[in-house]
Amino acid sequence: MADALIGMDGDEIWALLKGLSATTVPRFRARQVYDAVYRRMTGSAAEITVLPRDLRARLEREVPFGLPEPVDCYDSRDGTRRYLLRFGDGMTAETVLMKERERYTFCISSQIGCPVNCKFCMTALMGLERNLSAGEIAGQVLFVAAANSLSAEIRKLNVVMMGQGEPLLNLNNVIKATRLLADPDGVGLSQRRLTLSTSGIIPKIYELGKEAVRPKLAISLNASNEEQRREIMPITRKYPLRELLEACRAYPLRAWERLTFEYVLLGGVNDSDADARRVVRLLANINCKVNLIALNPGPGIDYRTPDAERVASFQAIVRRSLPCYLRKPRGRDIYAACGQLKRMAEEEMRPPGLVSLA
């Protein structure tokens, strides 16, 4: 079976069309297909009516379109929506749509499951099932945008690769998906509105920095010293905190860009005033901001969410030296918040508010 149409760039689409047609295919046909798939977010090859009927029919018959299929959709009381999406091989992953006033954020997955065993994250309990292709990554954006009548023209629309998976362990597909999403002739998202979050895969951070088209970089810090980080993020044993911070200081930021450090606050573990002061020292001389996330709890996670007063104290200390924001939890009641994506679709674990799309 041919590769799916979603995920192909213009040259690949042209090569595909030439292989499907018994006659010469002009280059503009590939541009028409590319425009229909990525800019107009067409739902199937049959809808690309600018193509000759016979070519359109062969495209529909012989090439998978590649748009993920909705299995379930969970609606939160706060307006967040969590989709369980099925890909061509029947495997599923999750995508989250968050809306706050006129701001929309798509949280997309880069892998099915995750190989990074962070002790406070429910996705880690799944292990890794497989990488997502570039088309499966970009396809999540196309599906959610079309399902909610959204487009890149909306000024406050952002895409964050903070769903299931470690994006830097699927870097080639992530970069190709980024090019498709950021192409002005395609989806048309600004690189300023694309963000990738990593646990700290140091060699891949250096690789990412060499890419001409890339998302902004967010680092999951989550600890104020090496020993603490090793305990809650075992990957630190392979990629030590000191070396991670060196990579961050060397990262080639664009003129408009700064790094983001994410810090999940675990009650009684990494949330003391002393931890806050150590974080300030760790991040000295890095052009960055800090996003604090009070732990989003879930089954199988042996940590607790800190009290609001403790979070406020931590933020106040960091804020004296660095921009520091508290990320408002979204979709906790449907397991859609940061660290909660574990395909909570099993019958016995379904929260209230399920809308079936099967």
Coordinates of all heavy atoms in Angstrom, one line a residue, residues 267-321:
G267 N 4.3 17.8 45.6 CA 4.2 18.2 47.0 C 5.2 17.5 47.9 O 5.2 16.3 47.9
G268 N 6.0 18.3 48.6 CA 7.0 17.7 49.5 C 8.2 17.1 48.9 O 9.0 16.6 49.6
V269 N 8.3 17.3 47.5 CA 9.5 16.6 46.8 C 10.4 17.7 46.2 O 11.6 17.7 46.5 CB 9.0 15.7 45.7 CG1 10.2 15.1 44.9 CG2 8.2 14.5 46.3
N270 N 9.8 18.6 45.4 CA 10.7 19.6 44.7 C 10.1 21.0 44.8 O 10.4 21.8 43.9 CB 10.8 19.1 43.2 CG 9.5 19.2 42.5 OD1 8.4 19.4 43.1 ND2 9.5 19.0 41.2
D271 N 9.3 21.2 45.8 CA 8.5 22.5 45.8 C 8.8 23.4 46.9 O 8.1 24.4 47.2 CB 7.0 22.2 45.8 CG 6.6 21.4 47.1 OD1 7.5 20.8 47.8 OD2 5.4 21.4 47.5
S272 N 10.0 23.2 47.6 CA 10.3 24.1 48.7 C 10.9 25.4 48.2 O 11.2 25.6 47.1 CB 11.4 23.4 49.6 OG 12.6 23.3 48.9
D273 N 11.0 26.4 49.2 CA 11.6 27.7 48.9 C 13.1 27.5 48.5 O 13.6 28.2 47.6 CB 11.5 28.6 50.1 CG 10.1 29.1 50.3 OD1 9.2 28.8 49.4 OD2 9.9 29.8 51.3
A274 N 13.7 26.5 49.1 CA 15.1 26.2 48.8 C 15.2 25.7 47.3 O 16.2 26.0 46.6 CB 15.7 25.2 49.7
D275 N 14.3 24.9 46.9 CA 14.2 24.4 45.5 C 14.1 25.6 44.6 O 14.8 25.6 43.5 CB 13.1 23.4 45.3 CG 13.3 22.1 45.9 OD1 14.3 21.5 45.6 OD2 12.4 21.6 46.7
A276 N 13.2 26.5 44.9 CA 13.0 27.7 44.1 C 14.3 28.5 43.9 O 14.6 28.9 42.8 CB 11.9 28.5 44.6
R277 N 15.0 28.7 45.0 CA 16.3 29.4 44.9 C 17.3 28.7 44.1 O 18.1 29.3 43.3 CB 16.8 29.7 46.3 CG 15.9 30.8 47.1 CD 16.6 31.2 48.4 NE 16.5 30.2 49.4 CZ 15.5 30.0 50.2 NH1 14.5 30.9 50.2 NH2 15.5 29.1 51.2
R278 N 17.3 27.4 44.2 CA 18.3 26.6 43.4 C 17.9 26.7 41.9 O 18.8 26.7 41.0 CB 18.3 25.1 43.8 CG 19.1 24.9 45.1 CD 19.4 23.5 45.4 NE 18.2 22.7 45.7 CZ 17.7 22.5 46.9 NH1 18.4 22.9 48.0 NH2 16.7 21.7 47.1
V279 N 16.6 26.7 41.6 CA 16.2 26.8 40.2 C 16.7 28.1 39.6 O 17.2 28.2 38.5 CB 14.7 26.7 40.1 CG1 14.2 27.2 38.7 CG2 14.2 25.2 40.3
V280 N 16.6 29.2 40.3 CA 17.1 30.5 39.9 C 18.6 30.4 39.6 O 19.0 30.9 38.5 CB 16.8 31.6 40.9 CG1 17.5 32.9 40.6 CG2 15.3 31.8 41.0
R281 N 19.3 29.8 40.4 CA 20.8 29.7 40.2 C 21.1 28.8 39.0 O 22.0 29.1 38.2 CB 21.5 29.1 41.4 CG 21.5 30.1 42.6 CD 22.5 29.7 43.7 NE 22.1 28.4 44.3 CZ 21.3 28.4 45.4 NH1 20.8 29.5 46.0 NH2 21.0 27.2 46.0
L282 N 20.3 27.7 38.8 CA 20.5 26.8 37.7 C 20.3 27.5 36.3 O 21.1 27.3 35.4 CB 19.6 25.6 37.7 CG 19.9 24.5 38.7 CD1 18.7 23.5 38.7 CD2 21.2 23.8 38.4
L283 N 19.4 28.4 36.3 CA 19.0 29.0 35.0 C 19.6 30.4 34.8 O 19.3 31.1 33.9 CB 17.5 29.1 35.0 CG 16.7 27.8 35.1 CD1 15.2 28.0 34.9 CD2 17.2 26.7 34.2
A284 N 20.5 30.8 35.7 CA 21.2 32.0 35.5 C 21.9 32.1 34.2 O 22.5 31.1 33.7 CB 22.2 32.2 36.6
N285 N 21.9 33.2 33.5 CA 22.5 33.5 32.2 C 21.9 32.7 31.1 O 22.6 32.5 30.1 CB 24.0 33.2 32.3 CG 24.7 34.0 33.4 OD1 24.4 35.2 33.6 ND2 25.6 33.4 34.2
I286 N 20.7 32.2 31.2 CA 20.0 31.6 30.1 C 18.8 32.5 29.8 O 18.0 32.9 30.7 CB 19.5 30.2 30.5 CG1 20.7 29.2 30.8 CG2 18.7 29.6 29.3 CD1 20.3 27.8 31.2
N287 N 18.6 32.8 28.5 CA 17.5 33.6 28.1 C 16.2 32.7 28.1 O 16.0 32.0 27.2 CB 17.7 34.2 26.7 CG 16.6 35.1 26.2 OD1 15.7 35.4 27.0 ND2 16.6 35.4 25.0
C288 N 15.4 32.8 29.2 CA 14.4 31.9 29.4 C 13.2 32.4 30.2 O 13.3 33.5 30.8 CB 14.9 30.6 30.0 SG 15.5 30.8 31.8
K289 N 12.2 31.6 30.3 CA 11.1 31.8 31.2 C 10.8 30.5 31.8 O 11.2 29.4 31.3 CB 9.8 32.3 30.5 CG 9.2 31.4 29.5 CD 7.9 31.9 28.9 CE 7.3 30.9 27.9 NZ 6.0 31.4 27.4
V290 N 10.0 30.5 32.9 CA 9.7 29.3 33.7 C 8.2 29.1 33.7 O 7.5 30.1 34.1 CB 10.3 29.3 35.1 CG1 9.9 28.0 35.9 CG2 11.8 29.4 35.1
N291 N 7.7 28.0 33.4 CA 6.3 27.6 33.5 C 6.1 26.6 34.6 O 6.7 25.5 34.5 CB 5.7 27.0 32.2 CG 5.4 28.1 31.2 OD1 5.3 29.3 31.5 ND2 5.2 27.7 30.0
L292 N 5.4 27.0 35.7 CA 5.1 26.0 36.8 C 3.9 25.3 36.5 O 2.9 25.8 36.0 CB 5.0 26.8 38.1 CG 6.3 27.6 38.5 CD1 6.0 28.4 39.8 CD2 7.5 26.7 38.6
I293 N 3.9 24.0 36.8 CA 2.7 23.1 36.7 C 2.5 22.4 38.0 O 3.4 21.5 38.3 CB 2.9 22.1 35.5 CG1 3.3 22.9 34.2 CG2 1.6 21.3 35.3 CD1 3.9 22.0 33.2
A294 N 1.5 22.7 38.7 CA 1.2 21.9 39.9 C 0.7 20.5 39.4 O -0.1 20.4 38.5 CB 0.1 22.5 40.7
L295 N 1.3 19.4 40.0 CA 1.0 18.1 39.6 C -0.5 17.8 39.3 O -1.3 18.1 40.1 CB 1.5 17.1 40.6 CG 1.2 15.6 40.3 CD1 2.0 15.1 39.2 CD2 1.3 14.7 41.6
N296 N -0.7 17.3 38.1 CA -2.0 16.8 37.7 C -2.1 15.3 38.1 O -1.4 14.5 37.5 CB -2.3 16.9 36.2 CG -2.3 18.4 35.8 OD1 -3.1 19.2 36.4 ND2 -1.5 18.8 34.9
P297 N -2.9 14.9 39.1 CA -2.8 13.6 39.7 C -3.5 12.6 38.8 O -4.3 12.9 37.9 CB -3.6 13.7 41.0 CG -4.6 14.9 40.8 CD -3.8 15.8 39.8
G298 N -3.3 11.3 39.0 CA -4.0 10.2 38.3 C -3.6 8.9 38.8 O -2.7 8.7 39.6
P299 N -4.3 7.8 38.4 CA -4.1 6.5 38.9 C -2.6 6.0 38.6 O -2.1 6.3 37.5 CB -5.1 5.6 38.1 CG -6.1 6.6 37.7 CD -5.5 7.9 37.5
G300 N -2.0 5.5 39.5 CA -0.6 5.0 39.3 C 0.5 6.0 39.6 O 1.7 5.7 39.5
I301 N 0.1 7.2 40.0 CA 1.1 8.3 40.2 C 1.2 8.4 41.7 O 0.2 8.8 42.4 CB 0.7 9.6 39.6 CG1 0.6 9.4 38.0 CG2 1.7 10.7 39.9 CD1 1.9 8.9 37.4
D302 N 2.4 8.2 42.3 CA 2.6 8.2 43.8 C 3.1 9.5 44.3 O 4.0 9.6 45.2 CB 3.5 7.1 44.2 CG 3.0 5.7 43.8 OD1 1.8 5.5 43.9 OD2 3.8 4.8 43.5
Y303 N 2.6 10.6 43.8 CA 2.9 12.0 44.2 C 1.6 12.7 44.5 O 0.6 12.4 44.0 CB 3.8 12.7 43.2 CG 5.2 12.1 43.0 CD1 5.4 11.3 41.9 CD2 6.2 12.3 43.9 CE1 6.7 10.7 41.7 CE2 7.4 11.7 43.7 CZ 7.7 10.9 42.6 OH 8.9 10.3 42.5
R304 N 1.8 13.8 45.2 CA 0.6 14.7 45.5 C 0.8 16.1 44.9 O 1.9 16.5 44.7 CB 0.3 14.7 47.0 CG 1.4 15.4 47.8 CD 1.0 15.5 49.3 NE 2.0 16.2 50.1 CZ 2.1 17.5 50.2 NH1 1.3 18.3 49.6 NH2 3.1 18.0 50.9
T305 N -0.4 16.7 44.7 CA -0.4 18.1 44.2 C -0.1 19.0 45.4 O -0.7 18.9 46.5 CB -1.7 18.5 43.6 OG1 -2.0 17.5 42.6 CG2 -1.7 19.9 43.0
P306 N 0.9 20.0 45.3 CA 1.1 20.9 46.4 C 0.0 21.8 46.7 O -0.8 22.1 45.8 CB 2.4 21.6 46.0 CG 2.4 21.5 44.5 CD 1.7 20.2 44.1
D307 N -0.1 22.4 47.9 CA -1.1 23.4 48.2 C -0.8 24.6 47.4 O 0.3 25.0 47.0 CB -1.0 23.7 49.7 CG -1.3 22.5 50.6 OD1 -2.0 21.6 50.1 OD2 -0.8 22.4 51.8
A308 N -1.9 25.4 47.2 CA -1.8 26.6 46.5 C -0.8 27.6 47.1 O -0.1 28.3 46.4 CB -3.2 27.3 46.3
E309 N -0.8 27.6 48.4 CA 0.2 28.6 49.1 C 1.6 28.2 48.8 O 2.5 29.1 48.6 CB -0.1 28.5 50.6 CG -1.4 29.1 51.0 CD -2.6 28.1 50.8 OE1 -2.3 26.9 50.5 OE2 -3.7 28.5 51.0
R310 N 1.9 26.9 48.7 CA 3.3 26.5 48.4 C 3.6 26.8 47.0 O 4.8 27.3 46.7 CB 3.4 24.9 48.7 CG 4.7 24.4 48.3 CD 5.7 24.3 49.5 NE 5.9 25.5 50.2 CZ 6.8 26.5 50.0 NH1 7.6 26.4 48.9 NH2 6.9 27.5 50.7
V311 N 2.7 26.6 46.1 CA 2.9 27.0 44.7 C 3.2 28.5 44.6 O 4.1 28.9 43.9 CB 1.7 26.6 43.8 CG1 1.9 27.1 42.4 CG2 1.5 25.1 43.8
A312 N 2.4 29.3 45.3 CA 2.5 30.8 45.2 C 3.9 31.2 45.8 O 4.5 32.1 45.2 CB 1.4 31.4 46.0
S313 N 4.3 30.6 46.8 CA 5.6 30.9 47.4 C 6.8 30.6 46.5 O 7.7 31.4 46.3 CB 5.8 30.2 48.7 OG 7.1 30.5 49.3
F314 N 6.7 29.4 45.8 CA 7.7 29.0 44.9 C 7.8 30.0 43.7 O 8.8 30.5 43.3 CB 7.4 27.6 44.4 CG 8.5 26.9 43.6 CD1 9.3 25.9 44.2 CD2 8.8 27.3 42.3 CE1 10.3 25.3 43.5 CE2 9.8 26.6 41.6 CZ 10.5 25.6 42.2
Q315 N 6.6 30.3 43.2 CA 6.6 31.3 42.0 C 7.1 32.6 42.4 O 7.9 33.2 41.6 CB 5.1 31.4 41.5 CG 5.0 32.3 40.3 CD 3.6 32.5 39.9 OE1 2.6 32.3 40.7 NE2 3.4 32.9 38.6
A316 N 6.8 33.1 43.6 CA 7.2 34.5 44.0 C 8.8 34.5 44.1 O 9.4 35.5 43.7 CB 6.6 34.8 45.4
I317 N 9.4 33.5 44.5 CA 10.9 33.4 44.6 C 11.5 33.5 43.2 O 12.4 34.2 42.9 CB 11.3 32.2 45.4 CG1 10.9 32.4 46.9 CG2 12.9 32.1 45.3 CD1 11.1 31.2 47.8
V318 N 11.0 32.6 42.3 CA 11.6 32.5 41.0 C 11.3 33.8 40.2 O 12.2 34.3 39.5 CB 11.0 31.3 40.2 CG1 11.5 31.3 38.8 CG2 11.3 30.0 40.9
R319 N 10.2 34.4 40.4 CA 9.7 35.6 39.7 C 10.6 36.8 40.0 O 10.7 37.7 39.2 CB 8.3 35.9 40.0 CG 7.6 36.8 39.0 CD 6.2 37.0 39.4 NE 5.2 36.4 38.5 CZ 3.9 36.3 38.7 NH1 3.4 36.8 39.8 NH2 3.2 35.8 37.8
R320 N 11.3 36.8 41.1 CA 12.2 37.9 41.4 C 13.4 38.0 40.4 O 13.9 39.0 40.2 CB 12.7 37.8 42.8 CG 11.7 38.0 43.9 CD 12.3 37.6 45.3 NE 11.3 37.4 46.3 CZ 11.4 36.6 47.3 NH1 12.6 35.9 47.5 NH2 10.4 36.4 48.2
S321 N 13.7 36.8 39.8 CA 14.9 36.8 38.9 C 14.5 36.4 37.5 O 15.3 36.8 36.6 CB 15.9 35.7 39.5 OG 16.3 36.0 40.8

